[in-house]
């Protein structure tokens, strides 16, 4: 299986940030670009301060006025509030969530999309009163002029423009304040929400998908083109477990927990990736040729789609800078954000970018290039008869294990070649490369061995990288083995993830060779845990 490489987002492809000072850029933690022409931006820095720049249409920058600015201006009302994410409509209006689950809104409000009970434009961020929502908000989504919030207990609230039933309350009357969406969903827990221009989608914790609102292009995926004022189940996805859903202007994509991609809705620009321009009123499986998909992206602002595969390849299709691309096209990008910066019209972020900005740094570049460089190295590791050339000083700087190893009273400190027998060559080479680059480049089956190494060497960051790779490589056939490995290496988050996946596919998993190879205590504990989750109820 090809390798999966983890990478971070960057902002160098977004023109609106091109004149920012390098020092300011280095402080950015979260950034997003929005607006009808991609001319507005919001930034959260590492000191928990919020800045805005751009044309400030409808007061959407939250600065208290309608003046635009090429230079970042501080959004005082949001500073030191722990802002963690944003969502934005095309009015534009903006929502912001804090780490405490509080919700702020500002900008265009002609359709009550700010949820404050009125229609006056919001020049400054206003807190949507906790006695209205009464819950901790963990995710927000915006259509053109409506808003949706997901709470920590899985409840969905909506408000704003409702001419097509996109608020999901059974009427077509605009909704001035947040109201809980219950029809169809009932008391079941939702895990994710998304909005098209005038439509809404939700994923439940059992993998079911519901849609409501405008359906003229089939974007609800329920068959036909009738609008729905209440949530309606996408029944053609029965038998698969959806874990992620995104909406374009008038199309929808859904990703299963096995990395399979489905799409439906408008297709006049090829945004469904079916190889033609025919709309689909029911979900169709797409992009089978690109392999397992681990992330998908779309925005109600435009008609472009993008996907990241398990092998770290980024694909795009749809309206790409005016061209209709009807099948997934491989790009040289490393991030889905790059697709939207370079090819979307308008160029807006499909979700806020979480940044780990590194300015041009010749020292780090040199360190990266020096890995396994025979000419400059002063130490070799012999693994499975193959040599890996490294630098003792770098290993000591980067890893506590090597700081201890290379002490005068240890024999290894006098050697120029050290034999490694407990780990394989691919695993140990990946570990050493990680110390030089902060990247992990391994297929999921080898990541188990690297997880073992990371656990043995107490490398917490590396352990998280491994868990991410393993999650993206999980299948019905290997989940039992991965579940056992997670238990063995005390990776609780990975253990819970594997258990959830196995529970969703319990019948198939129980018939796999890997499940039959589990030791008796692990099987017993799994069965007890599954029973507590209702797996064996009639």
């Amino acid at each position: 299986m090809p390798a999966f490489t983890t990478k971070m987002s960057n902002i160098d492809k977004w023109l609106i940030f091109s004149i920012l000072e390098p020092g300011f850029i280095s402080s950015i933690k979260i950034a997003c670009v929005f607006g009808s022409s991609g001319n507005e931006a919001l930034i959260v820095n590492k000191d928990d301060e919020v800045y805005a720049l751009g044309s400030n249409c409808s007061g959407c920058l939250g600065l208290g006025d309608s003046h635009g600015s090429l230079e970042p201006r501080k959004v005082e009302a949001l500073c030191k509030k722990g802002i963690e994410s944003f969502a934005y409509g095309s009015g534009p209006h903006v929502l912001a969530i804090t780490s405490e689950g509080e919700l702020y809104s500002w900008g265009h409000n002609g359709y009550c999309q700010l949820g404050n009970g009125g229609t006056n434009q919001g020049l400054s961020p206003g807190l949507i009163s906790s006695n209205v929502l009464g819950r901790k908000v963990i995710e927000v989504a915006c259509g053109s002029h409506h808003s949706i919030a997901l709470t920590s207990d899985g409840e969905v609230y909506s408000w704003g423009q409702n001419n097509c039933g996109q608020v999901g309350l059974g009427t077509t009357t605009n909704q001035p304040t947040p109201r809980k969406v219950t029809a169809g969903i009932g008391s079941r827990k939702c895990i994710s929400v998304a909005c098209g221009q005038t439509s809404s989608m939700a994923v439940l914790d059992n993998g079911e998908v519901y849609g409501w609102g405008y359906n003229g292009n089939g974007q609800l995926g329920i068959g036909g083109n009738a609008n729905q004022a209440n949530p309606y189940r996408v029944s053609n996805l029965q038998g698969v477990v959806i874990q992620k859903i995104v909406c374009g202007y008038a199309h929808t994509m859904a990703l299963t927990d096995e990395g399979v991609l489905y799409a439906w809705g408008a297709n006049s620009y090829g945004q469904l990736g079916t190889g033609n321009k025919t709309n689909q009123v029911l979900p169709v499986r797409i992009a089978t040729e690109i392999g397992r998909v681990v992330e998908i992206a779309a925005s109600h602002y435009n008609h472009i789609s993008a996907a990241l595969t398990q092998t770290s390849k980024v694909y795009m299709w749809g309206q790409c800078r005016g061209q209709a691309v009807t099948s997934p096209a491989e790009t040289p990008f490393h991030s889905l954000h790059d697709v939207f910066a370079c090819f979307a019209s308008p160029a807006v972020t499909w979700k806020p970018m979480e940044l780990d900005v590194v300015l041009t740094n010749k020292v780090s570049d040199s360190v990266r290039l020096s890995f396994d460089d025979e000419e400059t190295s002063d130490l070799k590791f012999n693994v499975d008869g193959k040599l890996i050339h490294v630098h003792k000083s770098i290993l000591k700087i980067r890893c506590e294990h090597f700081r201890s190893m290379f002490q005068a009273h240890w024999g290894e400190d006098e050697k120029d070649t050290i034999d490694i027998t407990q780990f394989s060559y691919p695993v140990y080479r990946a570990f050493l490369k990680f110390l030089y680059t902060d990247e992990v480049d391994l297929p999921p089956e080898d990541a188990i061995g690297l997880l073992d190494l990371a656990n043995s060497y107490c490398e917490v960051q590396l352990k998280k990288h491994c868990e991410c790779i393993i999650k993206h490589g999980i299948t019905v056939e290997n989940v039992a083995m991965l579940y056992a490995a997670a238990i063995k290496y005390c990776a609780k988050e990975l253990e819970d993830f594997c258990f959830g996946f196995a529970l969703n596919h319990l019948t198939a998993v129980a018939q796999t060779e890997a499940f039959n190879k589990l030791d008796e205590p692990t099987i017993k504990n799994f069965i007890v845990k599954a029973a507590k989750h209702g797996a064996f109820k009639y």
Side-chain angles (χ1 to χ4, degrees), residues 142-169:
C142 294
S144 290
H145 304 294
H146 74 288
S147 307
I148 294 182
L150 175 64
T151 68
S152 58
D153 52 5
E155 295 180 341
V156 178
Y157 288 79
S158 62
W159 60 97
Q161 187 182 38
N162 195 31
N163 59 319
C164 302
Q166 60 265 47
V167 174
L169 300 174

PDB file of all heavy atoms in Angstrom, residues 142-169:
ATOM      1  N   CYS A 142     -22.883  27.827   7.561  1.00  0.00           N
ATOM      2  CA  CYS A 142     -23.700  28.887   6.995  1.00  0.00           C
ATOM      3  C   CYS A 142     -24.045  28.569   5.550  1.00  0.00           C
ATOM      4  O   CYS A 142     -23.185  28.109   4.787  1.00  0.00           O
ATOM      5  CB  CYS A 142     -22.965  30.232   7.018  1.00  0.00           C
ATOM      6  SG  CYS A 142     -22.639  30.886   8.658  1.00  0.00           S
ATOM      7  N   GLY A 143     -25.305  28.820   5.192  1.00  0.00           N
ATOM      8  CA  GLY A 143     -25.673  28.890   3.792  1.00  0.00           C
ATOM      9  C   GLY A 143     -25.516  30.329   3.357  1.00  0.00           C
ATOM     10  O   GLY A 143     -24.877  31.134   4.048  1.00  0.00           O
ATOM     11  N   SER A 144     -26.096  30.686   2.227  1.00  0.00           N
ATOM     12  CA  SER A 144     -25.981  32.074   1.797  1.00  0.00           C
ATOM     13  C   SER A 144     -26.502  33.027   2.857  1.00  0.00           C
ATOM     14  O   SER A 144     -25.852  34.006   3.215  1.00  0.00           O
ATOM     15  CB  SER A 144     -26.748  32.282   0.486  1.00  0.00           C
ATOM     16  OG  SER A 144     -26.101  31.626  -0.578  1.00  0.00           O
ATOM     17  N   HIS A 145     -27.705  32.720   3.383  1.00  0.00           N
ATOM     18  CA  HIS A 145     -28.316  33.624   4.358  1.00  0.00           C
ATOM     19  C   HIS A 145     -28.985  32.876   5.508  1.00  0.00           C
ATOM     20  O   HIS A 145     -29.912  33.397   6.116  1.00  0.00           O
ATOM     21  CB  HIS A 145     -29.357  34.512   3.662  1.00  0.00           C
ATOM     22  CG  HIS A 145     -28.818  35.291   2.509  1.00  0.00           C
ATOM     23  ND1 HIS A 145     -27.870  36.285   2.646  1.00  0.00           N
ATOM     24  CD2 HIS A 145     -29.084  35.209   1.174  1.00  0.00           C
ATOM     25  CE1 HIS A 145     -27.588  36.793   1.451  1.00  0.00           C
ATOM     26  NE2 HIS A 145     -28.305  36.150   0.543  1.00  0.00           N
ATOM     27  N   HIS A 146     -28.554  31.652   5.785  1.00  0.00           N
ATOM     28  CA  HIS A 146     -29.068  30.963   6.971  1.00  0.00           C
ATOM     29  C   HIS A 146     -27.911  30.336   7.733  1.00  0.00           C
ATOM     30  O   HIS A 146     -26.789  30.229   7.217  1.00  0.00           O
ATOM     31  CB  HIS A 146     -30.138  29.924   6.617  1.00  0.00           C
ATOM     32  CG  HIS A 146     -29.629  28.659   5.988  1.00  0.00           C
ATOM     33  ND1 HIS A 146     -29.145  28.591   4.699  1.00  0.00           N
ATOM     34  CD2 HIS A 146     -29.560  27.380   6.472  1.00  0.00           C
ATOM     35  CE1 HIS A 146     -28.796  27.348   4.406  1.00  0.00           C
ATOM     36  NE2 HIS A 146     -29.036  26.594   5.479  1.00  0.00           N
ATOM     37  N   SER A 147     -28.177  29.950   8.977  1.00  0.00           N
ATOM     38  CA  SER A 147     -27.115  29.478   9.870  1.00  0.00           C
ATOM     39  C   SER A 147     -27.550  28.226  10.610  1.00  0.00           C
ATOM     40  O   SER A 147     -28.739  28.049  10.913  1.00  0.00           O
ATOM     41  CB  SER A 147     -26.767  30.562  10.900  1.00  0.00           C
ATOM     42  OG  SER A 147     -26.473  31.801  10.284  1.00  0.00           O
ATOM     43  N   ILE A 148     -26.583  27.369  10.912  1.00  0.00           N
ATOM     44  CA  ILE A 148     -26.831  26.137  11.670  1.00  0.00           C
ATOM     45  C   ILE A 148     -25.742  25.981  12.723  1.00  0.00           C
ATOM     46  O   ILE A 148     -24.559  26.265  12.466  1.00  0.00           O
ATOM     47  CB  ILE A 148     -26.846  24.905  10.750  1.00  0.00           C
ATOM     48  CG1 ILE A 148     -28.030  24.960   9.797  1.00  0.00           C
ATOM     49  CG2 ILE A 148     -26.904  23.622  11.559  1.00  0.00           C
ATOM     50  CD1 ILE A 148     -28.143  23.747   8.898  1.00  0.00           C
ATOM     51  N   ALA A 149     -26.144  25.544  13.913  1.00  0.00           N
ATOM     52  CA  ALA A 149     -25.180  25.272  14.988  1.00  0.00           C
ATOM     53  C   ALA A 149     -25.403  23.865  15.515  1.00  0.00           C
ATOM     54  O   ALA A 149     -26.542  23.421  15.684  1.00  0.00           O
ATOM     55  CB  ALA A 149     -25.337  26.289  16.110  1.00  0.00           C
ATOM     56  N   LEU A 150     -24.308  23.165  15.777  1.00  0.00           N
ATOM     57  CA  LEU A 150     -24.334  21.835  16.370  1.00  0.00           C
ATOM     58  C   LEU A 150     -23.794  21.939  17.786  1.00  0.00           C
ATOM     59  O   LEU A 150     -22.736  22.520  18.016  1.00  0.00           O
ATOM     60  CB  LEU A 150     -23.468  20.873  15.544  1.00  0.00           C
ATOM     61  CG  LEU A 150     -23.287  19.457  16.086  1.00  0.00           C
ATOM     62  CD1 LEU A 150     -24.611  18.715  16.120  1.00  0.00           C
ATOM     63  CD2 LEU A 150     -22.260  18.693  15.249  1.00  0.00           C
ATOM     64  N   THR A 151     -24.507  21.380  18.745  1.00  0.00           N
ATOM     65  CA  THR A 151     -24.090  21.466  20.139  1.00  0.00           C
ATOM     66  C   THR A 151     -23.348  20.201  20.569  1.00  0.00           C
ATOM     67  O   THR A 151     -23.368  19.180  19.883  1.00  0.00           O
ATOM     68  CB  THR A 151     -25.306  21.673  21.064  1.00  0.00           C
ATOM     69  OG1 THR A 151     -26.107  20.488  21.064  1.00  0.00           O
ATOM     70  CG2 THR A 151     -26.144  22.854  20.604  1.00  0.00           C
ATOM     71  N   SER A 152     -22.722  20.286  21.721  1.00  0.00           N
ATOM     72  CA  SER A 152     -21.906  19.169  22.219  1.00  0.00           C
ATOM     73  C   SER A 152     -22.734  17.930  22.522  1.00  0.00           C
ATOM     74  O   SER A 152     -22.201  16.825  22.556  1.00  0.00           O
ATOM     75  CB  SER A 152     -21.148  19.601  23.476  1.00  0.00           C
ATOM     76  OG  SER A 152     -22.059  20.028  24.474  1.00  0.00           O
ATOM     77  N   ASP A 153     -24.035  18.097  22.755  1.00  0.00           N
ATOM     78  CA  ASP A 153     -24.876  16.931  23.008  1.00  0.00           C
ATOM     79  C   ASP A 153     -25.602  16.461  21.760  1.00  0.00           C
ATOM     80  O   ASP A 153     -26.558  15.692  21.834  1.00  0.00           O
ATOM     81  CB  ASP A 153     -25.869  17.198  24.146  1.00  0.00           C
ATOM     82  CG  ASP A 153     -26.672  18.479  23.954  1.00  0.00           C
ATOM     83  OD1 ASP A 153     -26.521  19.106  22.881  1.00  0.00           O
ATOM     84  OD2 ASP A 153     -27.420  18.842  24.868  1.00  0.00           O
ATOM     85  N   GLY A 154     -25.147  16.935  20.575  1.00  0.00           N
ATOM     86  CA  GLY A 154     -25.654  16.425  19.321  1.00  0.00           C
ATOM     87  C   GLY A 154     -26.948  17.037  18.831  1.00  0.00           C
ATOM     88  O   GLY A 154     -27.587  16.495  17.927  1.00  0.00           O
ATOM     89  N   GLU A 155     -27.331  18.174  19.399  1.00  0.00           N
ATOM     90  CA  GLU A 155     -28.541  18.852  18.949  1.00  0.00           C
ATOM     91  C   GLU A 155     -28.222  19.848  17.839  1.00  0.00           C
ATOM     92  O   GLU A 155     -27.132  20.435  17.812  1.00  0.00           O
ATOM     93  CB  GLU A 155     -29.220  19.573  20.116  1.00  0.00           C
ATOM     94  CG  GLU A 155     -29.743  18.629  21.188  1.00  0.00           C
ATOM     95  CD  GLU A 155     -30.403  19.354  22.337  1.00  0.00           C
ATOM     96  OE1 GLU A 155     -30.160  20.572  22.502  1.00  0.00           O
ATOM     97  OE2 GLU A 155     -31.158  18.713  23.080  1.00  0.00           O
ATOM     98  N   VAL A 156     -29.178  20.053  16.935  1.00  0.00           N
ATOM     99  CA  VAL A 156     -29.010  20.978  15.816  1.00  0.00           C
ATOM    100  C   VAL A 156     -29.963  22.154  15.991  1.00  0.00           C
ATOM    101  O   VAL A 156     -31.160  21.963  16.223  1.00  0.00           O
ATOM    102  CB  VAL A 156     -29.295  20.283  14.470  1.00  0.00           C
ATOM    103  CG1 VAL A 156     -29.165  21.273  13.317  1.00  0.00           C
ATOM    104  CG2 VAL A 156     -28.350  19.103  14.278  1.00  0.00           C
ATOM    105  N   TYR A 157     -29.416  23.372  15.884  1.00  0.00           N
ATOM    106  CA  TYR A 157     -30.214  24.593  15.941  1.00  0.00           C
ATOM    107  C   TYR A 157     -30.029  25.345  14.633  1.00  0.00           C
ATOM    108  O   TYR A 157     -28.935  25.325  14.027  1.00  0.00           O
ATOM    109  CB  TYR A 157     -29.786  25.470  17.118  1.00  0.00           C
ATOM    110  CG  TYR A 157     -30.197  24.908  18.468  1.00  0.00           C
ATOM    111  CD1 TYR A 157     -29.470  23.873  19.065  1.00  0.00           C
ATOM    112  CD2 TYR A 157     -31.306  25.401  19.143  1.00  0.00           C
ATOM    113  CE1 TYR A 157     -29.845  23.345  20.291  1.00  0.00           C
ATOM    114  CE2 TYR A 157     -31.687  24.882  20.375  1.00  0.00           C
ATOM    115  CZ  TYR A 157     -30.956  23.861  20.942  1.00  0.00           C
ATOM    116  OH  TYR A 157     -31.329  23.342  22.158  1.00  0.00           O
ATOM    117  N   SER A 158     -31.072  26.047  14.185  1.00  0.00           N
ATOM    118  CA  SER A 158     -30.978  26.766  12.917  1.00  0.00           C
ATOM    119  C   SER A 158     -31.776  28.059  12.972  1.00  0.00           C
ATOM    120  O   SER A 158     -32.687  28.214  13.804  1.00  0.00           O
ATOM    121  CB  SER A 158     -31.471  25.883  11.764  1.00  0.00           C
ATOM    122  OG  SER A 158     -32.830  25.553  11.950  1.00  0.00           O
ATOM    123  N   TRP A 159     -31.424  28.982  12.055  1.00  0.00           N
ATOM    124  CA  TRP A 159     -32.106  30.273  11.996  1.00  0.00           C
ATOM    125  C   TRP A 159     -31.738  30.984  10.684  1.00  0.00           C
ATOM    126  O   TRP A 159     -30.843  30.566   9.977  1.00  0.00           O
ATOM    127  CB  TRP A 159     -31.757  31.142  13.204  1.00  0.00           C
ATOM    128  CG  TRP A 159     -30.300  31.476  13.364  1.00  0.00           C
ATOM    129  CD1 TRP A 159     -29.661  32.618  12.965  1.00  0.00           C
ATOM    130  CD2 TRP A 159     -29.278  30.657  13.976  1.00  0.00           C
ATOM    131  NE1 TRP A 159     -28.315  32.575  13.286  1.00  0.00           N
ATOM    132  CE2 TRP A 159     -28.070  31.384  13.911  1.00  0.00           C
ATOM    133  CE3 TRP A 159     -29.284  29.396  14.572  1.00  0.00           C
ATOM    134  CZ2 TRP A 159     -26.867  30.887  14.413  1.00  0.00           C
ATOM    135  CZ3 TRP A 159     -28.075  28.900  15.066  1.00  0.00           C
ATOM    136  CH2 TRP A 159     -26.898  29.636  14.993  1.00  0.00           C
ATOM    137  N   GLY A 160     -32.455  32.043  10.384  1.00  0.00           N
ATOM    138  CA  GLY A 160     -32.160  32.840   9.194  1.00  0.00           C
ATOM    139  C   GLY A 160     -33.162  32.649   8.078  1.00  0.00           C
ATOM    140  O   GLY A 160     -34.334  32.297   8.300  1.00  0.00           O
ATOM    141  N   GLN A 161     -32.704  32.890   6.848  1.00  0.00           N
ATOM    142  CA  GLN A 161     -33.579  32.798   5.689  1.00  0.00           C
ATOM    143  C   GLN A 161     -34.150  31.392   5.561  1.00  0.00           C
ATOM    144  O   GLN A 161     -33.435  30.400   5.698  1.00  0.00           O
ATOM    145  CB  GLN A 161     -32.815  33.169   4.422  1.00  0.00           C
ATOM    146  CG  GLN A 161     -33.696  33.271   3.193  1.00  0.00           C
ATOM    147  CD  GLN A 161     -32.913  33.601   1.946  1.00  0.00           C
ATOM    148  OE1 GLN A 161     -31.792  33.114   1.753  1.00  0.00           O
ATOM    149  NE2 GLN A 161     -33.471  34.439   1.081  1.00  0.00           N
ATOM    150  N   ASN A 162     -35.459  31.335   5.218  1.00  0.00           N
ATOM    151  CA  ASN A 162     -36.130  30.038   5.224  1.00  0.00           C
ATOM    152  C   ASN A 162     -37.116  29.904   4.062  1.00  0.00           C
ATOM    153  O   ASN A 162     -38.082  29.157   4.144  1.00  0.00           O
ATOM    154  CB  ASN A 162     -36.860  29.849   6.563  1.00  0.00           C
ATOM    155  CG  ASN A 162     -37.275  28.411   6.816  1.00  0.00           C
ATOM    156  OD1 ASN A 162     -36.604  27.478   6.380  1.00  0.00           O
ATOM    157  ND2 ASN A 162     -38.394  28.236   7.496  1.00  0.00           N
ATOM    158  N   ASN A 163     -36.856  30.616   2.965  1.00  0.00           N
ATOM    159  CA  ASN A 163     -37.794  30.617   1.842  1.00  0.00           C
ATOM    160  C   ASN A 163     -37.946  29.251   1.193  1.00  0.00           C
ATOM    161  O   ASN A 163     -38.957  28.959   0.553  1.00  0.00           O
ATOM    162  CB  ASN A 163     -37.380  31.652   0.797  1.00  0.00           C
ATOM    163  CG  ASN A 163     -35.987  31.388   0.250  1.00  0.00           C
ATOM    164  OD1 ASN A 163     -35.073  31.031   0.999  1.00  0.00           O
ATOM    165  ND2 ASN A 163     -35.798  31.578  -1.033  1.00  0.00           N
ATOM    166  N   CYS A 164     -36.960  28.391   1.368  1.00  0.00           N
ATOM    167  CA  CYS A 164     -37.013  27.044   0.781  1.00  0.00           C
ATOM    168  C   CYS A 164     -37.083  25.953   1.842  1.00  0.00           C
ATOM    169  O   CYS A 164     -36.922  24.773   1.543  1.00  0.00           O
ATOM    170  CB  CYS A 164     -35.800  26.810  -0.108  1.00  0.00           C
ATOM    171  SG  CYS A 164     -35.613  27.999  -1.448  1.00  0.00           S
ATOM    172  N   GLY A 165     -37.280  26.356   3.085  1.00  0.00           N
ATOM    173  CA  GLY A 165     -37.323  25.380   4.177  1.00  0.00           C
ATOM    174  C   GLY A 165     -35.954  25.005   4.694  1.00  0.00           C
ATOM    175  O   GLY A 165     -35.810  24.028   5.436  1.00  0.00           O
ATOM    176  N   GLN A 166     -34.914  25.795   4.352  1.00  0.00           N
ATOM    177  CA  GLN A 166     -33.536  25.442   4.718  1.00  0.00           C
ATOM    178  C   GLN A 166     -33.255  25.498   6.214  1.00  0.00           C
ATOM    179  O   GLN A 166     -32.232  24.996   6.677  1.00  0.00           O
ATOM    180  CB  GLN A 166     -32.532  26.310   3.955  1.00  0.00           C
ATOM    181  CG  GLN A 166     -32.643  27.814   4.180  1.00  0.00           C
ATOM    182  CD  GLN A 166     -33.485  28.508   3.122  1.00  0.00           C
ATOM    183  OE1 GLN A 166     -34.563  28.057   2.784  1.00  0.00           O
ATOM    184  NE2 GLN A 166     -32.971  29.607   2.585  1.00  0.00           N
ATOM    185  N   VAL A 167     -34.156  26.108   7.001  1.00  0.00           N
ATOM    186  CA  VAL A 167     -33.988  26.120   8.455  1.00  0.00           C
ATOM    187  C   VAL A 167     -34.505  24.815   9.069  1.00  0.00           C
ATOM    188  O   VAL A 167     -34.150  24.446  10.183  1.00  0.00           O
ATOM    189  CB  VAL A 167     -34.687  27.366   9.061  1.00  0.00           C
ATOM    190  CG1 VAL A 167     -34.667  27.333  10.576  1.00  0.00           C
ATOM    191  CG2 VAL A 167     -33.986  28.634   8.569  1.00  0.00           C
ATOM    192  N   GLY A 168     -35.367  24.098   8.342  1.00  0.00           N
ATOM    193  CA  GLY A 168     -35.772  22.761   8.764  1.00  0.00           C
ATOM    194  C   GLY A 168     -36.796  22.706   9.864  1.00  0.00           C
ATOM    195  O   GLY A 168     -36.834  21.747  10.644  1.00  0.00           O
ATOM    196  N   LEU A 169     -37.682  23.728   9.942  1.00  0.00           N
ATOM    197  CA  LEU A 169     -38.667  23.796  11.014  1.00  0.00           C
ATOM    198  C   LEU A 169     -40.086  23.565  10.530  1.00  0.00           C
ATOM    199  O   LEU A 169     -41.056  23.836  11.230  1.00  0.00           O
ATOM    200  CB  LEU A 169     -38.569  25.148  11.725  1.00  0.00           C
ATOM    201  CG  LEU A 169     -37.211  25.456  12.367  1.00  0.00           C
ATOM    202  CD1 LEU A 169     -37.181  26.862  12.920  1.00  0.00           C
ATOM    203  CD2 LEU A 169     -36.878  24.444  13.458  1.00  0.00           C
TER     204      LEU A 169
END
